Amino acid sequence: MALKAGASVLRLTALRSTAVRLLSTHTRPEVEQNKTKNAEFPGAKAPYVTEMKFLNETSYDPIPIYRVLDNDGSVIEKREEPSIDKDELINMYKTMVQITQLDKILYESQRQGRISFYMTNYGEEGIHIGSAAALDPRDLVFSQYREVGVFLYRGVTVTELINQCYGNHEDSGKGRSMPIHYGDKQRNLVTISSPLGTQIPQAVGAAYALKRQPDNDRCVICYFGDGAASEGDAYAAFNFAATLDCPVILFCRNNGYAISTPTSEQYKGDGIAARGPSLGINTVRVDGTDTLAVYNAVKQAREFAIANNKPVLIEAMSYRVGHHSTSDDSTAYRSVEEIQKWANDESPLLKFKLYLESKGIWSEDAEKATLKESRDRVVRTMQDAEKKKLPHWKEMFEDVYYDMPPRIQKQMQQMGEHLKKYPDKYPLDKFQTD
Amino acid sequence: MASLVTKKSLFVRLVKNVNDCTKRLSSHFIYYPDDGKPVEGETTKMNMMQAINNAMDLTLKTDPTAVVFGEDVAFGGVFRCALGLQEKYGKERVFNTPLCEQGIAGFGIGLATAGATAIAEIQFADYIFPAFDQIINEAAKIRYRSGGLFDCGALTIRTPCSAVGHGGLYHSQSPEAFFAHVPGLRIVVPRGPITAKGLLLSCIRERDPCLFLEPKILYRSASEEVPVEDYTLPLGKAEVLRQGDAATLIGWGTQVHVLLEVAQMADEQLGVKCDVIDLQSILPWDEDTVCNSVKKTGRCVIAHEAPLTSGFGAELAATIQEECFLHLEAPVSRVAGWDAPFPHVFEPLYLPDKWRCLQALKDTLDY
């Protein structure tokens, strides 16, 4: 009985498979084919092997670091020298100098209690300017918090930056965020947010929206650090960018430290770049202290991303020469010698300056004048920014919703009544009035 | 002589900086140190950072399974609470993690599930949200969903919270109410060094996962004579710090100090005495102490830094009206951060400072 039943099941199966064969346009794989070298699993098309072997980072060569300039500012391979006109090259360098002067003075001003917080960009100026110069001003930028050069290069003025640091009434962020949380809608610079890595999947989503616009010729660039790349958001972003075909440049500034945590404790394996190919993303690693290498990488990444609607991952290697922020003293976890070595031997400014000098378009006189000019600009602007009132206290309640709900209106009214009762208990003279 | 002048001007500048910082940092409250001693024996002056360090030190010394970890913890953490612990106990027990809060929480749950004592640090409470899934869906529910087979009670997550004078949106938040909606967690907020040490040691040893929220402004500005030896303070218990009959003032963390000053002002200016309650444990919370006090005074002001709507004050107010309805002489009053994100330059106007709390007390008394 059992045998019979078994036989009929077999017959049924045979019938069904014949039917399937007749209906299907695919030919049923023969048992013999399992002996071939290539598997066709939905999740992996790969060869079969009979030797079991673990793979690790030593199974592959380290991803090389692309550079254009040598440490002395000379072009290593002539064909790799980008054609950037003289005025733009000078503008690039001047902006780099402006970053350093902004950093010096604002860092010091925090130490004097004039602003509440600051983060410097020392060592990464080449990343900012090389990438910003290679982009179209209409490309949308999602930054982390150490990319002020991108803002400057886009045309954000020192005045606008310093107003933000003071949170005065001319700050476009209306005094709500800590210093250095810049944003500029006109210049396509999405306002910076403190939580790490959150901007990466957002950038991918934005790229998807751009892609759907007719005749799109814009891309998105997203900056993030080697630390932020450990957040779950970073993995999500990479995977979304690849699977949803988004024209986004995922730009990792690998500066060696996330506050005190060195990259040796942040990841094992070959850096952030190694994650790109594993997720199907075109990837390149560049010397972030070489402005021209960054420029070339971003230029090509941009062209590729827009032409193909695909992401590109760039890992720019550099060194965070400054402390993490004004709340940090990095000598607690790294030696002064280490910092000095990078500050002196691998200065992106110096390399770029030597390059300009070798082209005969920069001189010591120009250097001195630029230094003075950019320094004076910051000092002058700070003096002005300090005198400006903070925004009206009612701004505290605005923009929570598009239209202020009744409950918040009520709270604003309560605050107003309270201030009338206790005017001398609050620093109202610092704020704008009705 | 020239060097002396330079030194002097440097010194003057330094003093000026410190003064500026102090002015900026502690504008909204005066610190009221605890005068009592939770246990007999030797004490030493510690600020809250040192008291927390001391609690972790004692744990690492006595519990060989204990590990301390989080972003930048190896060098002591950004607030230096773990200072010197790696040198003392080694890299295997005190270590940096990659920058990933969900990883830190999940890793801690795993440690605790496998029998280790896990003390995790999330660098700022504002950055705990990527770990929300792990904390809410895993830590708080493991015992329940496994029928008691597994638990992660040996997990304590420490995180700095609340206003600091200049933290803006993402270095100022007080997220206790988000977590208070989740049965299975314990949430604790100390008001100073003595409570920090005793409550943290309780959290670490407690058989439920604990979220220990440390008001970061107190790390250095609060110092007390802290018992040197090991001691614990009870979880789930509030503490009545001042006795009175006019009203009950309830707060936690930094806000306790605001309310202590308000009670003093009420005494001096209005001639009334208030109960001041430090809730300490947000979840589970001490209904008896709170309701007994409100039944006695008939009036209640609750104050917290987190926004008003759905802040933990809402839970207190609801329970108080349920339990003390016939005793109430006035509606329960809540003074809180406004229903807006925590703003940078508006901080002095955003916080439920002593003037707003005093006015709420006056309104409650005059009702």
Side-chain angles (χ1 to χ4, degrees):
Chain A
M1 189 64 192
L3 257 176
K4 249 190 187 169
S8 68
V9 167
L10 263 179
R11 216 174 303 142
L12 259 177
T13 314
L15 267 175
R16 207 177 293 142
S17 66
T18 314
V20 168
R21 221 177 300 165
L22 286 171
L23 290 171
S24 165
T25 53
H26 298 287
T27 48
R28 187 163 171 267
E30 296 300 322
V31 178
E32 284 298 302
Q33 281 181 316
N34 282 348
K35 286 184 182 166
T36 61
K37 295 276 178 352
N38 280 302
E40 290 285 328
F41 291 106
K45 315 278 182 263
Y48 286 117
V49 290
T50 53
E51 188 196 351
M52 215 275 319
K53 202 169 90 184
F54 288 121
L55 300 175
N56 59 35
E57 76 269 26
T58 60
S59 308
Y60 308 93
D61 289 333
I63 295 171
I65 300 166
Y66 170 72
R67 36 181 352 192
V68 174
L69 293 178
D70 223 329
N71 278 22
D72 61 5
S74 58
V75 174
I76 303 163
E77 281 283 352
K78 194 69 191 156
R79 65 181 151 77
E80 292 299 314
E81 184 179 5
S83 60
I84 306 173
D85 72 45
K86 179 186 158 220
D87 290 345
E88 189 171 359
L89 284 173
I90 290 173
N91 182 33
M92 286 167 75
Y93 183 68
K94 282 185 168 176
T95 313
M96 287 165 82
V97 173
Q98 185 66 76
I99 303 170
T100 61
Q101 293 309 304
L102 191 71
D103 278 356
K104 264 190 196 141
I105 298 165
L106 287 183
Y107 184 86
E108 190 54 35
S109 80
Q110 191 280 341
R111 287 300 187 231
Q112 296 165 358
R114 297 164 80 173
I115 59 172
S116 62
F117 178 81
Y118 193 69
M119 292 177 118
T120 62
N121 303 273
Y122 302 129
E124 300 181 51
E125 299 89 345
I127 287 174
H128 302 185
I129 301 309
S131 62
L135 294 167
D136 186 283
R138 294 175 311 126
D139 293 335
L140 192 57
V141 177
F142 283 79
S143 41
Q144 183 168 298
Y145 48 58
R146 210 186 298 282
E147 294 93 359
V148 76
V150 178
F151 284 70
L152 283 167
Y153 199 81
R154 279 276 167 106
V156 177
T157 62
V158 168
T159 309
E160 288 168 312
L161 296 175
I162 291 180
N163 283 338
Q164 195 285 325
C165 289
Y166 277 92
N168 64 34
H169 72 270
E170 287 182 19
D171 162 23
S172 59
K174 303 177 185 173
R176 293 172 189 148
S177 291
M178 282 172 78
I180 69 111
H181 289 66
Y182 315 117
D184 191 319
K185 182 146 188 181
Q186 294 297 312
R187 296 180 178 103
N188 300 302
L189 302 158
V190 179
T191 301
I192 294 165
S193 176
S194 314
L196 279 177
T198 46
Q199 81 281 17
I200 321 174
Q202 295 169 9
V204 174
Y208 193 89
L210 292 188
K211 174 177 90 165
R212 294 194 61 244
Q213 290 173 3
D215 306 319
N216 175 50
D217 59 352
R218 301 166 66 195
C219 73
V220 176
I221 189 165
C222 180
Y223 297 91
F224 54 95
D226 44 278
S230 291
E231 291 280 12
D233 273 344
Y235 174 79
F238 288 19
N239 203 24
F240 274 52
T243 54
L244 298 170
D245 299 322
C246 300
V248 59
I249 302 171
L250 300 160
F251 194 112
C252 178
R253 297 180 291 97
N254 188 334
N255 65 14
Y257 285 92
I259 306 189
S260 76
T261 306
T263 45
S264 60
E265 293 176 31
Q266 195 63 249
Y267 56 74
K268 299 292 175 193
D270 192 17
I272 312 305
R275 299 172 200 174
S278 73
L279 290 164
I281 301 174
N282 267 25
T283 300
V284 65
R285 177 181 269 166
V286 297
D287 178 355
T289 69
D290 174 353
T291 311
L292 296 183
V294 174
Y295 177 89
N296 281 351
V298 173
K299 193 109 190 147
Q300 282 196 43
R302 180 176 191 279
E303 280 162 20
F304 175 85
I306 294 169
N308 301 283
N309 280 329
K310 295 259 187 239
V312 175
L313 173 63
I314 298 176
E315 184 183 29
M317 310 310 293
S318 71
Y319 186 87
R320 196 194 75 210
V321 171
H323 303 307
H324 164 70
S325 73
T326 46
S327 309
D328 176 42
D329 173 9
S330 64
T331 56
Y333 50 82
R334 58 181 186 178
S335 69
V336 176
E337 293 73 42
E338 179 187 309
I339 302 169
Q340 283 310 317
K341 175 188 152 325
W342 284 94
N344 298 332
D345 301 354
E346 301 289 345
S347 160
L349 269 105
L350 186 61
K351 287 182 197 179
F352 198 60
K353 186 174 95 167
L354 291 170
Y355 170 69
L356 296 189
E357 282 175 356
S358 73
K359 289 181 83 77
I361 58 173
W362 197 250
S363 63
E364 266 316 302
D365 286 348
E367 177 80 10
K368 274 185 198 150
T370 301
L371 263 174
K372 185 175 177 338
E373 198 183 314
S374 41
R375 194 190 147 76
D376 290 352
R377 188 179 292 125
V378 177
V379 173
R380 203 172 48 240
T381 307
M382 267 187 46
Q383 288 163 349
D384 291 345
E386 240 162 17
K387 289 180 205 135
K388 288 173 191 156
K389 297 263 186 199
L390 299 176
H392 194 288
W393 63 264
K394 284 185 177 170
E395 284 294 351
M396 175 165 62
F397 296 94
E398 298 287 348
D399 298 325
V400 182
Y401 293 91
Y402 186 79
D403 290 316
M404 192 184 291
R407 192 168 167 85
I408 299 184
Q409 287 177 29
K410 188 170 129 191
Q411 292 184 12
M412 193 164 86
Q413 200 185 330
Q414 287 170 351
M415 179 90 250
E417 285 160 11
H418 182 73
L419 291 175
K420 269 184 205 144
K421 257 182 211 149
Y422 297 88
D424 55 327
K425 307 301 182 198
Y426 296 90
L428 288 175
D429 55 321
K430 287 188 186 169
F431 295 85
Q432 283 192 310
T433 47
D434 289 316
Chain B
M1 191 61 201
S3 80
L4 197 70
V5 171
T6 320
K7 262 187 201 156
K8 194 183 164 206
S9 72
L10 257 177
F11 178 72
V12 169
R13 221 168 67 193
L14 191 73
V15 168
K16 189 186 172 304
N17 286 351
V18 169
N19 287 343
D20 284 350
C21 286
T22 319
K23 224 189 295 174
R24 202 167 60 216
L25 289 178
S26 56
S27 55
H28 87 284
F29 73 103
I30 296 170
Y31 184 73
Y32 286 76
D34 276 11
D35 36 21
K37 272 166 63 171
V39 284
E40 288 309 309
E42 192 194 335
T43 63
T44 183
K45 197 159 183 111
M46 293 185 202
N47 60 29
M48 197 170 87
M49 178 266 277
Q50 291 163 327
I52 289 164
N53 182 280
N54 184 235
M56 292 196 287
D57 192 351
L58 285 169
T59 304
L60 289 161
K61 195 188 288 174
T62 52
D63 176 355
T65 74
V67 290
V68 172
F69 57 95
E71 293 156 16
D72 302 296
V73 161
F75 92 118
V78 295
F79 289 103
R80 320 318 303 276
C81 289
L83 191 66
L85 296 180
Q86 190 183 62
E87 287 77 16
K88 217 164 161 180
Y89 298 100
K91 288 182 173 177
E92 200 183 295
R93 300 190 63 198
V94 180
F95 51 90
N96 283 341
T97 65
L99 203 167
C100 184
E101 296 76 14
Q102 65 195 95
I104 293 168
F107 185 82
I109 293 169
L111 278 164
T113 305
T117 297
I119 306 172
E121 176 176 304
I122 298 289
Q123 200 158 74
F124 283 89
D126 310 70
Y127 301 141
I128 203 168
F129 298 108
F132 210 54
D133 191 29
Q134 288 287 351
I135 297 171
I136 301 305
N137 279 331
E138 299 300 331
K141 297 178 174 62
I142 293 174
R143 183 188 292 116
Y144 189 81
R145 69 172 161 80
S146 70
L149 295 180
F150 293 94
D151 73 80
C152 64
L155 168 65
T156 301
I157 299 175
R158 298 177 36 244
T159 187
C161 68
S162 303
V164 69
H166 51 91
L169 277 82
Y170 302 112
H171 297 83
S172 308
Q173 294 178 73
S174 300
E176 64 274 5
F178 286 108
F179 295 94
H181 201 51
V182 187
L185 283 182
R186 286 183 179 273
I187 305 167
V188 176
V189 190
R191 67 168 179 275
I194 293 175
T195 55
K197 179 176 171 181
L199 290 169
L200 180 56
L201 282 169
S202 293
C203 282
I204 291 168
R205 291 160 194 174
E206 174 57 47
R207 298 174 63 156
D208 301 312
C210 295
L211 179 62
F212 194 72
L213 295 164
E214 303 165 358
K216 65 181 96 65
I217 199 167
L218 302 180
Y219 280 138
R220 283 154 208 278
S221 64
S223 74
E224 285 166 356
E225 283 294 327
V226 180
V228 175
E229 66 174 89
D230 194 313
Y231 64 93
T232 57
L233 292 171
L235 301 183
K237 291 276 175 241
E239 204 179 332
V240 182
L241 301 176
R242 297 284 186 278
Q243 303 261 14
D245 53 10
T248 302
L249 311 180
I250 309 171
W252 49 91
T254 317
Q255 197 63 24
V256 170
H257 302 284
V258 176
L259 294 178
L260 286 168
E261 191 179 352
V262 169
Q264 194 180 325
M265 291 158 82
D267 191 358
E268 290 163 5
Q269 296 171 23
L270 312 173
V272 298
K273 292 202 186 299
C274 298
D275 268 11
V276 178
I277 296 180
D278 176 4
L279 198 64
Q280 287 184 148
S281 279
I282 308 299
L283 195 72
W285 64 280
D286 186 351
E287 222 175 291
D288 285 349
T289 300
V290 167
C291 292
N292 287 339
S293 167
V294 180
K295 280 176 189 164
K296 178 183 74 176
T297 61
R299 297 169 203 272
C300 181
V301 176
I302 303 160
H304 54 69
E305 289 184 16
L308 179 76
T309 299
S310 295
F312 197 67
E315 176 62 31
L316 295 175
T319 306
I320 290 166
Q321 70 85 17
E322 225 167 49
E323 297 296 323
C324 315
F325 187 66
L326 294 176
H327 301 267
L328 286 173
E329 304 287 346
V332 177
S333 171
R334 288 182 291 153
V335 191
W338 302 114
D339 285 346
F342 199 108
H344 183 238
V345 302
F346 306 108
E347 179 169 328
L349 301 156
Y350 181 82
L351 287 173
D353 67 348
K354 61 185 173 190
W355 304 110
R356 280 177 61 202
C357 291
L358 182 69
Q359 186 56 44
L361 174 62
K362 282 182 184 170
D363 293 345
T364 303
L365 293 171
D366 295 343
Y367 187 78

